[in-house]
């Protein structure tokens, strides 16, 4: 059994036992169902467990203020595990929307299902099968995340508050994901001066809140957080979440494939309209913007073209501006911890998580 002093291992164990139970539930339902569940299990495997860590830190920041030796119970372990499953669902749908080929160094879910179709020699279009299957796979993972959360809340003292945070997170991610695809379609009609602000709005809803702020608040609510503690964690979590997403945007353009698990420059091939791209376009001439936009989103970009786009972004000062924005949001988050009504022993944990979330090689 896992030691209570190793809560992340306990989260991984909870995930493993849940997936095993679900797999057993469908035994005898045919090879096709088995392959679907295998894809679901693969989707939740791996990752840095960042959201689970923030959830546990939020719980600890409140619980350890009055009971320093308290250990997380089944409710917060299940909630942290549920966040990881919800994250897996979001990645499956995000990769499908972005037409990504890889995730964590492996084929993206829709590509894996496509390959399974081909390998089985089934009839029909394997690409269409992979895309349809990934939609349903993401839906299954969302249902799993709800199931896991509810299993943990069965006897939780603060279940209502936890459900409130989780429901808000789900709504905001969905709206943020839609705004993300809408931004790629609507940027031509939106004033260029508004592009960065619009991209930040997407970053806030689609990633910042569900990656950092809501996990913190979910854990804190399960520990019985009061209004001042909730406010302090929100004031820490939201700017840190924005810094995290901006770092992810930088890595999506300049990251090492061996570290990120996705090809370098993949966001350029996908045509993502991030703050980094908005800043770059602001400093270009009109003719340069036309040439830049003609390449952005071209799935066939070769390494030389990627390198040229990367250099253009650097030359416009966009990369430096985003780095400054990341630093500013990180400082804002850290300032929220000053005199916060949280367990003093947890402040170092929160700062360490902030460093991990905004690292240049994350």
């Amino acid at each position: 059994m896992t030691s209570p002093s190793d809560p992340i291992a306990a989260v991984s164990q909870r995930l493993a036992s849940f997936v095993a139970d679900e797999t057993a539930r469908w035994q005898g339902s045919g090879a096709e169902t088995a392959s679907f569940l295998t894809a679901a299990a693969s989707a939740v495997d791996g990752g840095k467990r960042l959201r689970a860590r923030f959830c546990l830190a939020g719980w600890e920041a409140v619980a350890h203020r009055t009971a320093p030796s308290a250990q997380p119970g089944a409710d917060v372990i299940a909630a942290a595990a549920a966040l990881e499953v919800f994250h897996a669902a979001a990645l499956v749908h995000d990769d499908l929307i972005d037409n990504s080929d890889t995730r964590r160094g492996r084929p993206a879910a829709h590509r894996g299902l496509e390959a399974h179709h081909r390998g089985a020699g089934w009839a029909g279009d394997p690409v269409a099968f992979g895309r349809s299957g990934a939609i349903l796979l993401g839906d299954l993972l969302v249902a799993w995340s709800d199931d896991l959360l509810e299993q943990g809340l069965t006897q939780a003292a603060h279940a209502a508050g936890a459900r409130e945070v989780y429901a808000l997170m789900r709504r905001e991610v969905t709206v943020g994901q839609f705004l993300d695809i809408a931004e790629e379609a609507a940027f031509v009609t939106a004033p260029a001066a508004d592009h960065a602000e619009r991209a930040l709005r997407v970053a806030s809803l689609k990633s910042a809140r569900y990656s950092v702020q809501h996990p913190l608040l979910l854990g804190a609510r399960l520990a019985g957080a009061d209004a001042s503690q909730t406010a302090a964690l929100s004031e820490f979590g939201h700017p840190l979440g924005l810094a995290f997403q901006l770092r992810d945007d930088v890595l999506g353009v300049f990251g090492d494939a061996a570290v990120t698990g996705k090809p370098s420059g993949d966001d350029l091939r996908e045509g993502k309209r991030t703050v980094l791209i908005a800043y770059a376009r602001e400093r270009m001439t009109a003719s340069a913007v036309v040439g830049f936009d003609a390449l952005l989103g071209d799935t066939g970009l070769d390494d030389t073209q990627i390198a040229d786009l990367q250099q253009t972004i650097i030359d416009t000062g966009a990369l430096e501006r985003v780095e400054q924005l990341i630093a500013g949001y990180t400082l804002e988050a850290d300032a929220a911890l000053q005199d916060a009504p949280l367990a003093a022993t947890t402040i170092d944990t929160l700062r360490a998580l902030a460093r991990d979330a905004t690292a240049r090689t994350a």
Side-chain angles (χ1 to χ4, degrees):
M1 294 295 290
T2 300
S3 167
S5 64
D6 190 4
I8 288 298
V11 170
S12 294
Q13 281 192 348
R14 186 70 187 89
L15 280 170
S17 65
F18 178 85
V19 171
D21 289 345
E22 287 300 308
T23 300
R25 185 194 305 274
W26 292 98
Q27 280 186 350
S29 297
E32 294 81 9
T33 302
S35 67
F36 189 48
L37 293 174
T38 297
S42 177
V44 302
D45 182 44
K48 298 182 289 293
R49 303 284 187 243
L50 184 68
R51 289 152 191 83
R53 292 178 186 276
F54 276 115
C55 180
L56 291 164
W59 177 88
E60 183 181 306
V62 175
H64 283 193
R65 188 165 171 83
T66 55
S69 62
Q71 296 294 334
D75 56 350
V76 71
I77 294 297
L83 285 168
E84 292 298 317
V85 178
F86 182 80
H87 178 51
L91 293 181
V92 168
H93 283 161
D94 198 44
D95 286 343
L96 179 61
I97 290 168
D98 292 339
N99 222 17
S100 298
D101 292 327
T102 58
R103 170 65 62 180
R104 295 172 177 167
R106 304 190 299 255
H110 61 286
R111 295 303 186 202
L113 290 166
E114 175 186 329
H116 181 78
H117 181 286
R118 286 196 175 95
W122 290 346
D125 182 358
V127 174
F129 174 85
R131 296 184 68 82
S132 298
I135 292 171
L136 297 171
L137 177 60
D139 291 346
L140 176 66
L141 291 169
V142 169
W144 276 11
S145 74
D146 287 348
D147 292 342
L148 248 174
L149 179 70
E150 288 303 322
Q151 288 175 13
L153 296 182
T154 303
Q155 299 184 24
H158 304 285
R163 288 192 182 99
E164 181 182 0
V165 171
Y166 207 79
L168 177 60
M169 177 192 72
R170 285 189 52 180
R171 293 193 297 271
E172 288 188 346
V173 170
T174 303
V175 172
Q177 184 67 272
F178 175 78
L179 290 177
D180 190 26
I181 62 173
E183 189 63 27
E184 293 180 21
F187 85 97
V188 292
T189 59
D194 294 344
H195 286 180
E197 181 180 349
R198 290 165 65 96
L200 275 173
R201 180 182 65 176
V202 172
S204 174
L205 287 171
K206 181 186 172 185
S207 182
R209 301 188 192 191
Y210 112 88
S211 295
V212 180
Q213 185 181 16
H214 289 316
L216 283 167
L217 295 181
L218 180 61
R221 287 291 186 90
L222 286 169
D226 61 26
S228 64
Q229 291 168 324
T230 298
L233 287 169
S234 292
E235 289 165 10
F236 168 76
H238 188 250
L240 180 60
L242 285 171
F244 166 76
Q245 181 54 47
L246 291 171
R247 172 59 63 213
D248 193 61
D249 292 343
V250 170
L251 292 172
V253 173
F254 296 98
D256 181 348
V259 176
T260 64
K262 301 187 76 173
S264 180
D266 213 34
D267 281 6
L268 298 173
R269 294 186 179 91
E270 293 170 6
K272 289 191 175 181
R273 298 284 168 174
T274 62
V275 177
L276 184 67
I277 297 303
Y279 280 171
R281 294 174 80 256
E282 283 179 10
R283 299 286 178 85
M284 293 181 193
T285 64
S287 60
V289 167
V290 171
F292 185 83
D293 286 350
L295 291 175
L296 191 64
D298 182 350
T299 58
L301 290 176
D302 59 31
D303 290 345
T304 299
Q305 291 171 310
I306 290 291
D308 287 344
L309 288 173
Q310 289 171 332
Q311 191 60 52
T312 297
I313 292 169
I314 293 171
D315 290 344
T316 62
L319 178 58
E320 182 180 357
R321 289 176 70 189
V322 170
E323 290 290 352
Q324 291 172 351
L325 203 55
I326 292 170
Y329 281 131
T330 304
L331 286 173
E332 181 183 343
D334 191 72
L337 297 178
Q338 302 298 321
D339 301 319
L342 306 170
T345 53
T346 310
I347 300 302
D348 286 344
T349 299
L350 291 171
R351 284 178 171 146
L353 282 171
R355 289 191 295 271
D356 288 346
T358 57
R360 291 173 181 262
T361 57

